[in-house]
Amino acid sequence: MENNKEFGKIRSIIFPIYTSELRKFIPLTSIFFIISFNYSILRSLKDMFILQNAGAEVIYYLKVFGVMPSIILMTIIYSKISKGVSRDTRFNIVIAYFLVLFGITYLFLIPNLEALKLDSLADSLEKSMPKLLGLWEAIRYWPLSLLYINAEAWGTLALSVLFWTFVNEITPTHQAKRFYSFLSLGASIGLMIAGTMIKIFKDNFNALLGFVFVFVVLLLVIYNIFVQDVRKNPALYQVEQKPKKKKVKTTFWESIQFLAKSRYLALIAILVLSYNMFISLFESVWKSAIKELITTTGDQSISAHVYGDQGIYGGIATIILTLFFSAPIMNKGWRFAASFTPVVALVCTVVFFTFLYCQNSLDAVTTMLNTSPIMLAVMFGLANVVFIKSAKYILFDPTKERAYIPLDEEAKIRGKAAVDGVGSRLGKSLGSFLLTMVLLPLFGNGHIENVRYHVFFILIAILIVWLIAINKLSVRYNKLNEEQEKQEKEVL
């Protein structure tokens, strides 16, 4: 599938995909659409269920004591599965697990939530250790906690590990530069549709879970049809026919040690940890404002409207950034493109926290807009989250995934499982641990709004480390690419 014709100036910015590449691009975009649709629904559902039933504090205890151990366990199992089965079988096993789990939750657990609550156990634990109320509420509402954990796992396994591993295997480096940002078009449409549906079904959260179940089935169908065509026509998809190396059997912990020994992979891990720790802490301040708004107004549907708007506006922003900005930014080099997300995050952080500091002085503005300071804070935080996550979709994810391409097969599989399988959840869990175990007990008196300025300085420190890691990784990335290009010329 060779393409020698150069794009025109406008086409190179808006849609630099050759017609002959649509056979690959459209199925990959469709798969990305489904995974992102489900991710957006699940990301919102897990928070909305908890906020409606158990309280905001439960979220951060779940991230520390539920999500992180579960993701480690799932990654161990995934690593063991990877040793004996093919890529496609591995994909089907993981997605089938989610299909069963979400099906049981939709058909049985949520409809019978009141009957399944562990009230007696939670009440006794609360009496013995009342300071850990959020943890005991997570146990009380264990079906919601189970959904929360697996919703987080979907983002890690289905999106970060399965999807991008598959894309990396069938996309050469020269094509990835054009493809990766534009694959986010499918994700953007998924976000917008999911956001709209969250607002439509704001009074029936479980119906949204039913849509997730249906889309998981559709994902399995599309993926398996697509890979059949890939296997039959490898040349059409530019699948490199490399001699297979003997598989190295390692345990999960050996994979982590392998990661620690590779400076290159360690730097990728720092990028992943930095983003996830940043977004966990940034959203903690924003979500506390959402909870305060719900408490003030008594309107439980507010969370559905906010999360729905996040999906809709996030999709629109991602499409605009993809069509008009991603190609010019990518053309300026890997380091420039990779730095875009933390720079956007830095600007948003300074602006958002400045607004929080000054919101009590904005009476004239809130009166003019017929709103309240807390409502304005929620919507301002929403705008910042939308910009940061849009930058993540079109530039952070593509540049991170491009960083894996020059690596050998062993480093891709073992390193990616360790970095993406655990790194993303570890970053969020570290943020939650820092919040629940350090900041709130020492400085916050149990309330997030009392530590938001402590959070601000931690966020700035994270962003500095993130940018330093990008600078160091870019040097190694460019060197690996040069070596790879030299080897390809020698073979030719």
Side-chain angles (χ1 to χ4, degrees):
M1 189 160 60
E2 292 295 329
N3 298 284
N4 297 316
K5 185 179 178 181
E6 293 292 331
F7 293 116
K9 187 175 182 180
I10 296 177
R11 175 72 183 274
S12 66
I13 295 174
I14 294 178
F15 192 66
I17 309 298
Y18 293 100
T19 302
S20 59
E21 294 173 327
L22 293 178
R23 187 168 180 168
K24 177 194 291 188
F25 181 80
I26 291 175
L28 287 178
T29 305
S30 301
I31 292 171
F32 202 4
F33 160 79
I34 294 173
I35 292 177
S36 296
F37 171 87
N38 279 357
Y39 176 65
S40 183
I41 293 286
L42 291 168
R43 178 183 63 192
S44 302
L45 270 182
K46 66 183 176 60
D47 285 351
M48 291 190 298
F49 270 127
I50 294 294
L51 288 173
Q52 187 181 67
N53 293 277
E57 290 76 18
V58 174
I59 293 174
Y60 304 104
Y61 282 100
L62 272 175
K63 287 182 178 181
V64 175
F65 297 106
V67 174
M68 188 59 205
S70 298
I71 293 297
I72 290 176
L73 178 61
M74 290 180 184
T75 307
I76 292 172
I77 296 172
Y78 178 82
S79 297
K80 290 185 178 296
I81 291 174
S82 301
K83 296 175 185 177
V85 301
S86 66
R87 176 199 66 205
D88 299 332
T89 302
R90 188 166 66 235
F91 186 99
N92 288 325
I93 289 172
V94 174
I95 300 302
Y97 161 77
F98 286 113
L99 181 67
V100 173
L101 189 283
F102 294 143
I104 292 173
T105 306
Y106 168 66
L107 295 171
F108 177 70
L109 296 182
I110 299 301
N112 298 285
L113 179 61
E114 288 300 316
L116 293 171
K117 286 194 304 181
L118 299 176
D119 288 330
S120 299
L121 176 60
D123 288 341
S124 63
L125 290 169
E126 183 182 343
K127 288 180 182 178
S128 60
M129 287 177 281
K131 290 186 177 181
L132 296 179
L133 175 62
L135 181 58
W136 311 143
E137 287 299 292
I139 293 173
R140 184 192 306 277
Y141 290 95
W142 68 268
L144 302 183
S145 300
L146 182 64
L147 175 62
Y148 190 99
I149 290 168
N150 282 279
E152 291 276 355
W154 176 267
T156 299
L157 293 177
L159 180 58
S160 298
V161 177
L162 292 178
F163 175 73
W164 282 112
T165 296
F166 176 56
V167 175
N168 287 342
E169 287 184 6
I170 66 170
T171 309
T173 303
H174 67 85
Q175 193 179 56
K177 185 178 180 180
R178 293 180 292 106
F179 256 54
Y180 281 11
S181 290
F182 284 84
L183 286 176
S184 65
L185 290 173
S188 303
I189 296 170
L191 290 176
M192 289 190 292
I193 295 176
T196 303
M197 294 182 68
I198 288 168
K199 298 182 77 169
I200 292 173
F201 292 92
K202 62 181 182 295
D203 299 319
N204 189 356
F205 291 169
N206 202 37
L208 293 169
L209 196 55
F211 284 109
V212 170
F213 178 81
V214 171
F215 271 69
V216 174
V217 175
L218 185 61
L219 173 62
L220 285 170
V221 173
I222 293 176
Y223 177 83
N224 283 284
I225 291 174
F226 180 48
V227 295
Q228 285 291 333
D229 195 40
V230 173
R231 281 197 288 266
K232 291 178 182 177
N233 306 284
L236 293 175
Y237 294 94
Q238 297 182 330
V239 177
E240 297 179 22
Q241 301 297 316
K242 298 178 182 178
K244 291 188 176 181
K245 297 181 180 180
K246 185 178 179 181
K247 290 187 177 180
V248 181
K249 295 187 176 183
T250 59
T251 65
F252 170 76
W253 296 113
E254 287 172 338
S255 293
I256 297 296
Q257 292 173 355
F258 177 78
L259 171 64
K261 292 177 182 177
S262 170
R263 181 66 63 86
Y264 189 90
L265 287 170
L267 288 169
I268 298 178
I270 291 174
L271 305 190
V272 175
L273 285 167
S274 296
Y275 171 78
N276 286 283
M277 192 172 179
F278 170 87
I279 203 66
S280 177
L281 289 169
F282 189 93
E283 285 190 331
S284 69
V285 178
W286 178 52
K287 288 176 183 177
S288 71
I290 296 175
K291 181 62 177 177
E292 184 181 345
L293 181 60
I294 292 173
T295 303
T296 302
T297 62
D299 186 358
Q300 293 290 337
S301 67
I302 285 175
S303 61
H305 285 292
V306 172
Y307 285 112
D309 286 340
Q310 181 183 347
I312 294 169
Y313 298 141
I316 293 171
T318 304
I319 288 176
I320 292 172
L321 289 172
T322 299
L323 292 178
F324 300 105
F325 295 97
S326 66
I329 291 172
M330 283 289 190
N331 289 337
K332 290 184 178 295
W334 187 91
R335 181 170 62 179
F336 185 88
S339 300
F340 188 86
T341 305
V343 169
V344 168
L346 177 62
V347 173
C348 288
T349 298
V350 172
V351 172
F352 178 58
F353 280 87
T354 300
F355 171 81
L356 286 179
Y357 182 77
C358 300
Q359 64 175 310
N360 293 329
S361 304
L362 299 175
D363 291 339
V365 176
T366 55
T367 300
M368 182 179 66
L369 297 175
N370 192 27
T371 186
S372 63
I374 185 63
M375 182 65 183
L376 209 56
V378 168
M379 299 314 295
F380 206 79
L382 170 64
N384 282 272
V385 170
V386 163
F387 279 119
I388 294 167
K389 292 193 173 182
S390 295
K392 174 188 182 291
Y393 266 115
I394 68 162
L395 292 164
F396 176 80
D397 287 340
T399 51
K400 177 189 61 124
E401 297 305 324
R402 279 173 58 192
Y404 286 113
I405 293 176
L407 299 175
D408 59 44
E409 184 180 355
E410 180 186 354
K412 283 181 184 177
I413 294 175
R414 293 169 61 182
K416 188 169 177 58
V419 171
D420 291 338
V422 176
S424 60
R425 295 309 118 192
L426 178 60
K428 289 187 177 181
S429 295
L430 282 174
S432 296
F433 180 84
L434 185 63
L435 188 67
T436 57
M437 298 299 170
V438 180
L439 296 179
L440 290 180
L442 293 180
F443 309 107
N445 196 26
H447 299 288
I448 293 175
E449 57 267 24
N450 293 335
V451 297
R452 61 192 184 194
Y453 302 117
H454 300 81
V455 170
F456 170 77
F457 290 109
I458 294 172
L459 292 177
I460 297 299
I462 291 171
L463 292 172
I464 291 172
V465 172
W466 187 352
L467 288 167
I468 291 172
I470 287 172
N471 186 58
K472 291 181 178 297
L473 180 59
S474 68
V475 176
R476 291 172 170 79
Y477 172 76
N478 291 331
K479 185 177 180 181
L480 279 178
N481 270 331
E482 289 173 2
E483 292 175 355
Q484 190 178 62
E485 289 174 2
K486 187 181 294 185
Q487 290 174 359
E488 289 175 356
K489 289 180 181 178
E490 289 176 356
V491 171
L492 293 175

